[in-house]
Amino acid sequence: MCNEIDRCDIEKLDKTFSGLKLHSGRKWPKPETLTSIKDLIRDGCQALNAEEIVKVPTFDLFEGTHSLEINNVKLDSYLIRLSDNEINFSCFIPYDKTSNPDCDQEDFQYVVAIVDRLVRFIITWVTDYQSLPTTVLSCRYVEYMLKQIADVHGIDSDYKFLNTNNGYFDKVLNSSVLGICYFGAFVKKLLKGGGIFEEEDLNFNSMGLDGFDMMPPTRTVLMLLSEGINFIQGDNSISEIDSQRLQYLLKLIRCLAMFDTYLSLYSEDSIPLDEALELVKNLNDLPKCNYTPPIGSFSMLIQKQLSNQFPPKELSTAAEDFSGFIKLIQDLKKVISVYQVSSPHELMQFATFFNKNEQRHVLARALFPLIVIKDDSSVLGKWSFAEALQSHLQFFSLSGTNAERALDTEPFRSLMDPIAQEALNVLFEWYQNSSQNTARYRQGYNRQLLLWDSVQAQFEGIELKFDGSEEDSVEGPPGYGSIPLMPFSSWAFIMKTRAMIEFTLKGFDLDIYKPFEAFQMFWFTFFLAEQLEACLQKVDTFLQNKLNAIHAINKRMKKLKAGEKKERLREHYRTEMAVSYPSIHKNKAWLRYISTHNNIIKSLCLFETFQFGLLKSYGFIDNTASAKNKFVNEKLIHDLRFKPFSSIGVPELPSYNVFQEALEGFVISEPMMKAKQEKVLSFMDQQLSSATSDIKSILINIEIGDFNSDILTGTRLIKEDAVLYYSTLQKTIDALSLNNKTSLSIFKKGASTDQLQVSLKCESGLSGYFPLMVLNSKMHKTDRK
Amino acid sequence: MAIIYKQLDINNIRYFDRLKELIDADLSEPYSIYVYRYFLNQWPQLAYLAFVDENPESLPIGCIICKNEIHRNSRMRGYIGMLAVQKEFRGQGIAKKLVEKAIDTMIGNGCDEIMLETEVENLAALNLYEGMGFIRMKRMFRYYLNEGDAFKLILPITERSSIRSTFLMNQDPIAETQDISKLIV
Ligand SMILES: CC(C)(COP(=O)(O)OP(=O)(O)OC[C@H]1O[C@@H](n2cnc3c(N)ncnc32)[C@H](O)[C@@H]1OP(=O)(O)O)[C@@H](O)C(=O)NCCC(=O)NCCS
């Protein structure tokens, strides 16, 4: 495309290139150590077929679509036009109208304006998803500071880089900018931690500035900020309000700089967060700052001059006020409150709910997995990885089993260890997934399905062969004989089925399914919930048998005559009552929670399938793609939708035909349509009232707390979120009921199926997992925008 | 008006610039020339253009640009990269025809599925594709540079589309070896 480039541009380029000089201070390699690649390139180019596309084997088209292009105004940052003020801006002079005729404000006014804008830019960057170079890094002082930090790396420095001989610039601005860079470095560490994704969650385009990785010690930053604050306090010549604003800003930056301790020291101290919250309120209470920063101090210049892999982008508009910090701070506070959990199951519930109702702030989401799964191979610094895994298992199904005791014996232990390691990895993936953004969250479950499935199959292989497994069993329904408990694989099965349910229902929340798919997704989830229920019941029966066995000791004891044997039995009974009984009781209460929750899901799914059946009975919907096109193949579409489950061993995916037959069971028709409908409606009502009563018991138990309750919710530390979650489900139930009544009145009126169609509606304030199937007018071509 | 549909003539540079213009008109940030060349040089037969008449001087008023490749060593995946119809000509079934032509060719090339991404807010595109049997497979958070979420849509063509790639690879070692040689273009 070279011939397309303006001739005059090439001349300009030639001129620029010929003017390039080597900086004397730079160390260049000796010529004799260099090899010329000129011939290599020339030969390579000659061998190139003009139609060939040059790309590495690892080429990624998504990244490719972000490629840049020389001489294209929208894609070449070299073409950014800058004013003289931007080009000539200097960080070496103070800006002050008394000493500089080009200035119209006082020194402190300029500094207030710069710091105020920078702090608001932090919000725009980390909360409003704008890029680093169009926000914080657009400030020339930030760029300068980062370069200086890199230059003095490894050298003793006082980090006083602004030497303008003006206190406001040298003390106040210097320390503020350093503090903000320090906060930036913390954000970079969070991003590198791997819990969140560059670009989609947060932009950290540092323009090749490596100062972010070479920060001074925290105490240096805090000390300089304190010096800055002292300087402001010592200056009586500025107005009270300016002094206050600057002090609040510097104190806020000081708090931001301390956030690093949540990662570097795993600090559990919420004082910097509380203080920051207070300062944000104070800043918001002040009238808006109407000073302006020195012209050119915020600029696109960095995009033009430094290593830039992105298209040019105008500077973002800084956040209006400081409110954006509130969510950040509150969410970080929530995350560090996780240290107060006292058992792995409380941790599990914390992870379940903390990001569930609404997406938490990106920095809080990034921090969560890093403090839960710590670098020192511990969970929250409280449990070793092995302890955490064992405790998870015990709480679900392992407690009181032969398999648990056999863990201390060989070869069981050695056979189990590698699988336990794999299980631990999946469990950690589960934890990490809980803090992902809403779209990744569903994808995470998609991955986990296979992993849990493999873990379950491996556990099963060993459990079946283990001597003593026959005692870990329960009596099945008549004709089934005894069913092995298999506590390890049952746990993996429970985790897997829960993941499958979550993955499926989250699809509604993300608007993945079309109305015609609603039946199959809800019916499948109902089917999964039933499978899960059966497994939970099996474990519960096992635990109940254990309790019965303890009671039986008492009965046996009563029948015995006084004597040594009776005393031994009494002793045994006492220990069982003191140790095993409460622990089994606790397990049962936890399983009751999981079952109650599962029942809610099951009832609501069943309600939705009936709802679909009714709408189909009246001809408003079908489970076939609405598209009538030569490419449409219903079975293939169905199979593609269920692809994630196609390889899962148990529960085995029902066939396409089974889905079709299932739907027929939900459709009613003449004769006696009315009577059948009444029956369906009463069944639907039952589902909603059953879900309502289950929600009520969970809410009551959340309120009571886990001490001595029938249902152990494990939500002590995440109470508000859990209550909101279940209350939202209750509101959804009310809305589902109302919507069904509306549909019924439409059926009654004999509305035409040509006029109305079903859409899936997720109203705000209701659960997106159970959308309303709403009848509304069909959109006509003429209504299109 | 009878619309004429043609495969791209890669040597006609005027068309090339015009395609860029058509596509860029609806993008907040344009694609670089590399992206266009990437598609058009390698799969010119998968680019179709729509014209209002047969006049050789006429410029296209709509276009579709695609590729097809082996995906994860397991199945042939067609991909619709770009599609646009000039504003004044929308709503006449032109996009639908372009998509059909491209899909027919990709099926002819042995595709097991056709994939694309589109913005969650782009109702016209979603209706268009879903009307042809595409379904939404996943949502991607802030996928586009203008910050919108996107959906990944797939139209299944053969049964291979509904088997996880891991299992296809295991089942079909021959496909694997063929894929490798195809990947290193
Ligand atoms: C999307 C786009 C290509 C559609 O082009 P078009 O020629 O107007 O589309 P068609 O007339 O072939 O419409 C085919 C189907 O698309 C859907 N559709 C098209 N425009 C629509 C609109 N404005 N609103 C809702 N649905 C619409 C309809 O389902 C329509 O079928 P119908 O008319 O039988 O109901 C065009 O709007 C466009 O160029 N948009 C900008 C670029 C873009 O978004 N590309 C897609 C990126 S993947």
Side-chain angles (χ1 to χ4, degrees), chain A residues 779 781 784-785, chain B residues 26 83-85 89-97 116-118 122-125 127-129:
Chain A
M779 178 134 135
K781 231 173 162 171
R784 283 181 191 159
K785 276 188 206 135
Chain B
D26 287 287
L83 166 72
V85 171
F89 296 93
R90 288 182 189 171
Q92 302 174 25
I94 298 175
K96 196 170 171 185
K97 194 89 203 164
L116 62 98
E117 295 105 8
T118 189
N122 193 343
L123 289 185
N127 278 339
L128 165 71
Y129 293 119

Side-chain angles (χ1 to χ4, degrees), chain B residues 81-138:
Chain B
M82 304 171 207
L83 166 72
V85 171
Q86 194 177 315
K87 276 208 172 68
E88 306 79 57
F89 296 93
R90 288 182 189 171
Q92 302 174 25
I94 298 175
K96 196 170 171 185
K97 194 89 203 164
L98 285 166
V99 175
E100 279 176 357
K101 284 194 166 295
I103 294 181
D104 276 333
T105 312
M106 289 191 272
I107 292 176
N109 289 352
C111 281
D112 297 299
E113 63 189 16
I114 315 291
M115 198 271 263
L116 62 98
E117 295 105 8
T118 189
E119 263 175 276
V120 164
E121 304 294 328
N122 193 343
L123 289 185
L126 285 171
N127 278 339
L128 165 71
Y129 293 119
E130 286 171 351
M132 298 177 123
F134 281 82
I135 56 168
R136 305 173 189 184
M137 294 309 293
K138 65 173 174 183

Side-chain angles (χ1 to χ4, degrees), chain A residues 102-311:
Chain A
D102 294 334
C103 296
D104 57 2
Q105 293 179 144
E106 310 236 22
D107 49 2
F108 71 87
Q109 293 174 323
Y110 279 119
V111 170
V112 171
I114 298 169
V115 181
D116 182 88
R117 186 185 287 189
L118 262 177
V119 173
R120 284 180 294 117
F121 257 156
I122 293 178
I123 302 171
T124 321
W125 170 42
V126 297
T127 300
D128 301 338
Y129 299 108
Q130 297 306 305
S131 78
L132 187 53
T134 60
T135 55
V136 175
L137 257 190
S138 69
C139 175
R140 300 296 303 278
Y141 289 103
V142 176
E143 178 192 345
Y144 171 72
M145 184 73 65
L146 286 166
K147 284 178 177 161
Q148 297 307 304
I149 291 170
D151 279 354
V152 300
H153 187 56
I155 305 167
D156 207 14
S157 166
D158 58 5
Y159 293 88
K160 294 179 178 169
F161 298 125
L162 294 182
N163 297 309
T164 63
N165 286 327
N166 177 304
Y168 275 101
F169 283 84
D170 299 352
K171 287 192 191 310
V172 179
L173 186 59
N174 186 91
S175 62
S176 306
V177 173
L178 185 66
I180 287 169
C181 291
Y182 195 82
F183 174 73
F186 162 64
V187 174
K188 184 170 182 185
K189 278 194 246 171
L190 283 180
L191 188 60
K192 272 189 164 169
I196 52 167
F197 289 83
E198 169 99 57
E199 272 314 295
E200 70 181 49
D201 282 316
L202 185 77
N203 171 287
F204 203 100
N205 175 14
S206 60
M207 294 279 161
L209 288 169
D210 33 19
F212 283 116
D213 301 322
M214 301 170 178
M215 284 295 145
T218 327
R219 68 188 132 74
T220 309
V221 179
L222 300 183
M223 190 193 72
L224 290 175
L225 278 160
S226 298
E227 272 178 33
I229 295 166
N230 289 342
F231 177 85
I232 306 162
Q233 284 169 346
D235 183 4
N236 297 326
S237 65
I238 72 170
S239 76
E240 177 68 20
I241 193 162
D242 288 324
S243 169
Q244 249 182 11
R245 191 190 307 276
L246 256 187
Q247 286 185 56
Y248 290 155
L249 285 167
L250 265 74
K251 285 177 185 170
L252 178 59
I253 296 171
R254 194 167 59 181
C255 293
L256 293 178
M258 280 160 75
F259 289 0
D260 180 71
T261 57
Y262 294 125
L263 192 54
S264 55
L265 304 173
Y266 295 118
S267 164
E268 301 177 28
D269 179 5
S270 67
I271 292 174
L273 293 165
D274 293 327
E275 194 186 333
L277 207 53
E278 203 52 43
L279 288 161
V280 166
K281 283 189 191 131
N282 293 344
L283 279 164
N284 273 344
D285 286 345
L286 292 178
K288 260 201 186 114
C289 163
N290 48 17
Y291 303 135
T292 52
I295 304 173
S297 57
F298 288 85
S299 161
M300 287 173 79
L301 182 128
I302 191 165
Q303 297 182 47
K304 180 163 181 164
Q305 291 195 339
L306 293 191
S307 158
N308 187 12
Q309 290 154 14
F310 290 84

